[in-house]
C-alpha cells in the first residue's frame, strides 16, 4: 500500500490593544492512497484534499464578559476511483467467496464546501457562569456518486445448484444496472443556537441549558432532483446536570440528563439522485451474461419506464436520543476512590431503510427466480426502497471503577461494565444507505420491526479494563512500568443464507433470508476461540 501525503498549518495572532485579539488559521491536507487489497480491483484508489480557513475575533469587555466571533470556510475534495485492475461489474456470491470488483457506489467524485459563522458570549455574575452562542453553516455538496451504474451480477444458491457452481457456469440469478446522469449539487443550512448556565453554591453545582437545532430541507441547485421532507423546526434540546457534595466520607452524587439531536446525513438524502426521470435502475432476472440487456426494449428506457425507486418519507426528521446517567463516588480513603454509576439512553426516530415491493406468492405463477418481477405487487417498479424514521435504540449500563492514584509507587485504575444494547433494526449512526441499509433488511417485507428486534451489533455484555503503572524507587533508577489489559465479551452475530432462490430463500427478490436451522442447540452458543470455532 502506497500513501503519499502533505500537511500544512499556518497560524497568525495579532493583538489590537489590551482587549482584542485576531487569530487567522489555515490548514491544508492532501493524501493519495493506492489501494491495498487481497482481491485485485476490490478497493479503490483514493485522493483527498482539504482546506480549512478560520478568522476569529476575541474581545474581553471586562473581567466578567468575553465574546468570540468567527468566520470560516472548509472544503473537502475526495475522489474514490476503481484501481487499474478493476474491470466490469460488481460480482456478488452471497459471501461464498469475496466480492469481485469494487463497490457499486464507485467511483465517487465529491466536493463538500462549508461556509460558517459563529459567535459566543461568556459572562460571570456571582455564582453564575452564563454562556450563549450560535452557529450558522451553509453547505454546498457537488459531485457524482454511483449506484450500480457499472452493473451488479448476483450469483446465489439457485437452479438446484450452489452459488459457487453457478459462478463457474455463468448462471446468474439477477443483474442490476442503473442508467442516467448522477452529477448533483445539493444546498442546505445547518443552524444551532444555545444558552446555558453553571451555578455553584455551597455543596451544590447545577448546570443547565437549552439548544435549538432546526434541520432544513436541502435543495438541488439544478432542479434535477427533489428532496421531499420539510423543515424539522421544533428541535429543542434541554440538558441538566446536578452534583452534590455529601459529608465525608460519603463522597459526591452526580446525575445528568440531555436530549441530543442527530442529523439527516447527506448520504441519506442524496439517494434521490438515483430516481427517475433522470435515472433508471433495471432489474433483470436470470440474465444472459454475454448480453444481459438483450431483453430490454426501447420502451423500457423511457423516463417513465419501470425502475427501482428510493422514497424519502415526507415527514422525515432528525433522530434524537434521551441520554441520562447517575453516579456515586464515595471516598474509601484519602487515596482510594470508588465510582458506582449507571448510564442509559433511549433513541427514537432512528433512520431505517425498508425493502418493499417484493415478489409475492401469486396463484398460477411459479415461485421461481425468473418470475420475481412478474410477482411484484406494483408493476411500475422493481425494488422500492423506503427511507423513514422507523427504528428505536435502547442502551443500559452499570459501571464500577476503583482508582488508586498512588500507593507505594503503584497506580491502579480498574473498571467493569455490565451493559445491554438492543434496537429494532438500525442503531443511532445508521444512514439508511448502502451497507447501513442492508443491516436493517428484514427477511421478508412484513413485518420488519418484529423481525429485526434484537441485540445491537455493538452490544458487549461484559467489559473489564485494568490500567496499572509502577514507578520504581530512586535507587532503582526511577523506571516507569505500565500495562493495560482490556477484556470484553463478544458481539452478537447472525447467519444468513445469502441466497434467494427456491429451496434457499423465499424468492421475493431480496437476499438476507436466514438459514434453516437443523440443530436448534446451536442457538445462543458462544464462539470464543478461533481454533475450535469450526467444531462449534
Amino acid at each position: 500500500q502506497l500513501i503519499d501525503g502533505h500537511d500544512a498549518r499556518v497560524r497568525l495572532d495579532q493583538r489590537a490593544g489590551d482587549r482584542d485579539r485576531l487569530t487567522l488559521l489555515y490548514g491544508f491536507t492532501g493524501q493519495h492512497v493506492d489501494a491495498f487489497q487481497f482481491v485485485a480491483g476490490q478497493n479503490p484508489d483514493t485522493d483527498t484534499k482539504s482546506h480549512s480557513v478560520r478568522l476569529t475575533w476575541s474581545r474581553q469587555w471586562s473581567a466578567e464578559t468575553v465574546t468570540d466571533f468567527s468566520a470560516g470556510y472548509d472544503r473537502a475534495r475526495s475522489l474514490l476511483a476503481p484501481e487499474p485492475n478493476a474491470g466490469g461489474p460488481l460480482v456478488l456470491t452471497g459471501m461464498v467467496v469475496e466480492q469481485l470488483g469494487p463497490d457499486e457506489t464507485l467511483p465517487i467524485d465529491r466536493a463538500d464546501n462549508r461556509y460558517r459563522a459563529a459567535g459566543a458570549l461568556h459572562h460571570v455574575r456571582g455564582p453564575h457562569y452564563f454562556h450563549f452562542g450560535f452557529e450558522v453553516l451553509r453547505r454546498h455538496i457537488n459531485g457524482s456518486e454511483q449506484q450500480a451504474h457499472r452493473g451488479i451480477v448476483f450469483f446465489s444458491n439457485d437452479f438446484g445448484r450452489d452459488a459457487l457452481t453457478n459462478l463457474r457456469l455463468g448462471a446468474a440469478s439477477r443483474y442490476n444496472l442503473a442508467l442516467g446522469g448522477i452529477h448533483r449539487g445539493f444546498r442546505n443550512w445547518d443552524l444551532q443556537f444555545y444558552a446555558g448556565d453553571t451555578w455553584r453554591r455551597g455543596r451544590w453545582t447545577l448546570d443547565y441549558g437549552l439548544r435549538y437545532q432546526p434541520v432544513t430541507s436541502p435543495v438541488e441547485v439544478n432542479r434535477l432532483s427533489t428532496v421531499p421532507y420539510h423543515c424539522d423546526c421544533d428541535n429543542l434540546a434541554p440538558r441538566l446536570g446536578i452534583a452534590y457534595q455529601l459529608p465525608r466520607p460519603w463522597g459526591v452524587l452526580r446525575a445528568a440528563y440531555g436530549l441530543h439531536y442527530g442529523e439527516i446525513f447527506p448520504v441519506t438524502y442524496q439517494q434521490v439522485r438515483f430516481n427517475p426521470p433522470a435515472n433508471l435502475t433495471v432489474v433483470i432476472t436470470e440474465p444472459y451474461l454475454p448480453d444481459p440487456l438483450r431483453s430490454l426494449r426501447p420502451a423500457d428506457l423511457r423516463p417513465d419506464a419501470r425502475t427501482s425507486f428510493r422514497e424519502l418519507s415526507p415527514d422525515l426528521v432528525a433522530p434524537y436520543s434521551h441520554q441520562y446517567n447517575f453516579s456515586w463516588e464515595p471516598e474509601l480513603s484519602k487515596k482510594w476512590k470508588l465510582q458506582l454509576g449507571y448510564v442509559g439512553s433511549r433513541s427514537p426516530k432512528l433512520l431505517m431503510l425498508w425493502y418493499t415491493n417484493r415478489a409475492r406468492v401469486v396463484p398460477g405463477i411459479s415461485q421461481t427466480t425468473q418470475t420475481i418481477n412478474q410477482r411484484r405487487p406494483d408493476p411500475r417498479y422493481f425494488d422500492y426502497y423506503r427511507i423513514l424514521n422507523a427504528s428505536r435504540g435502547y442502551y443500559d449500563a452499570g459501571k464500577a471503577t476503583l482508582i488508586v492514584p498512588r500507593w507505594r509507587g503503584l497506580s491502579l485504575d480498574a473498571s467493569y461494565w455490565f451493559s445491554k444494547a438492543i434496537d429494532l433494526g438500525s442503531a443511532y449512526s445508521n444512514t439508511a444507505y448502502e451497507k447501513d441499509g442492508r443491516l436493517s433488511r428484514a427477511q421478508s417485507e412484513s413485518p420488519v420491526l418484529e423481525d429485526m428486534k434484537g441485540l445491537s451489533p455493538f452490544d458487549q455484555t461484559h467489559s473489564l479494563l485494568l490500567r496499572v503503572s509502577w514507578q520504581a524507587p530512586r535507587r532503582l533508577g526511577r523506571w516507569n512500568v505500565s500495562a493495560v489489559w482490556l477484556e470484553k465479551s463478544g458481539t452478537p452475530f447472525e447467519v444468513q443464507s445469502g441466497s434467494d432462490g427456491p429451496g434457499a430463500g423465499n424468492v421475493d427478490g431480496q437476499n438476507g433470508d436466514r438459514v434453516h436451522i437443523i440443530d436448534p442447540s446451536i442457538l445462543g452458543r458462544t464462539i470464543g476461540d478461533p481454533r475450535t470455532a469450526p467444531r462449534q
Side-chain angles (χ1 to χ4, degrees), residues 155 183 204 237 487 491:
F155 293 92
H183 189 279
W204 291 92
E487 184 166 343
T491 56

Side-chain angles (χ1 to χ4, degrees), residues 159-289:
F159 320 118
R161 301 182 293 264
D162 62 81
L164 193 57
T165 300
N166 285 326
L167 176 65
R168 291 168 175 165
L169 296 175
S173 297
R174 185 157 52 105
Y175 179 73
N176 287 17
L177 180 67
L179 305 166
I182 50 177
H183 189 279
R184 296 291 187 274
F186 291 97
R187 309 287 186 264
N188 76 302
W189 292 95
D190 283 350
L191 309 169
Q192 54 180 317
F193 309 89
Y194 64 88
D197 175 31
T198 301
W199 173 78
R200 293 183 176 89
R201 174 164 291 179
R203 296 177 179 269
W204 291 92
T205 299
L206 179 65
D207 188 275
Y208 57 96
L210 182 66
R211 183 180 296 269
Y212 176 53
Q213 194 173 344
V215 176
T216 64
S217 176
V219 297
E220 204 286 313
V221 68
N222 300 306
R223 300 183 179 180
L224 296 175
S225 299
T226 301
V227 181
Y229 66 84
H230 303 289
C231 178
D232 182 14
C233 292
D234 58 354
N235 295 344
L236 292 172
R239 61 176 176 81
L240 175 65
I242 301 174
Y244 180 68
Q245 180 71 54
L246 297 168
R248 289 187 175 182
W250 297 103
V252 181
L253 290 176
R254 306 180 193 273
Y257 164 80
L259 176 59
H260 303 274
Y261 282 89
E263 63 175 305
I264 303 175
F265 303 96
V267 296
T268 303
Y269 62 73
Q270 287 185 56
Q271 296 180 71
V272 297
R273 77 171 75 221
F274 305 127
N275 286 339
N279 265 276
L280 293 175
T281 301
V282 296
V283 178
I284 299 172
T285 56
E286 295 189 30
Y288 175 66
L289 289 186

Side-chain angles (χ1 to χ4, degrees), residues 328-378:
W328 175 37
E329 302 174 13
E331 296 181 9
L332 300 182
S333 69
K334 292 183 178 181
K335 293 184 178 181
W336 292 47
K337 296 182 180 179
L338 178 66
Q339 298 176 349
L340 302 173
Y342 161 80
V343 176
S345 69
R346 297 294 182 268
S347 304
K349 302 289 185 180
L350 301 183
L351 297 176
M352 201 169 184
L353 180 65
W354 284 10
Y355 295 73
T356 64
N357 203 39
R358 301 193 191 187
R360 311 287 175 84
V361 177
V362 178
I365 301 179
S366 59
Q367 196 170 348
T368 65
T369 301
Q370 181 64 40
T371 65
I372 284 176
N373 290 334
Q374 300 176 40
R375 295 184 287 110
R376 296 185 187 270
D378 191 336

Side-chain angles (χ1 to χ4, degrees), residues 394-395 419-423 427-428 455-461 490-492:
Y394 309 82
Y395 179 75
S419 64
K420 185 174 184 179
I422 61 176
D423 59 56
Y428 190 75
L455 296 175
S456 301
F458 57 86
D459 177 77
Q460 293 180 308
T461 305
T491 56

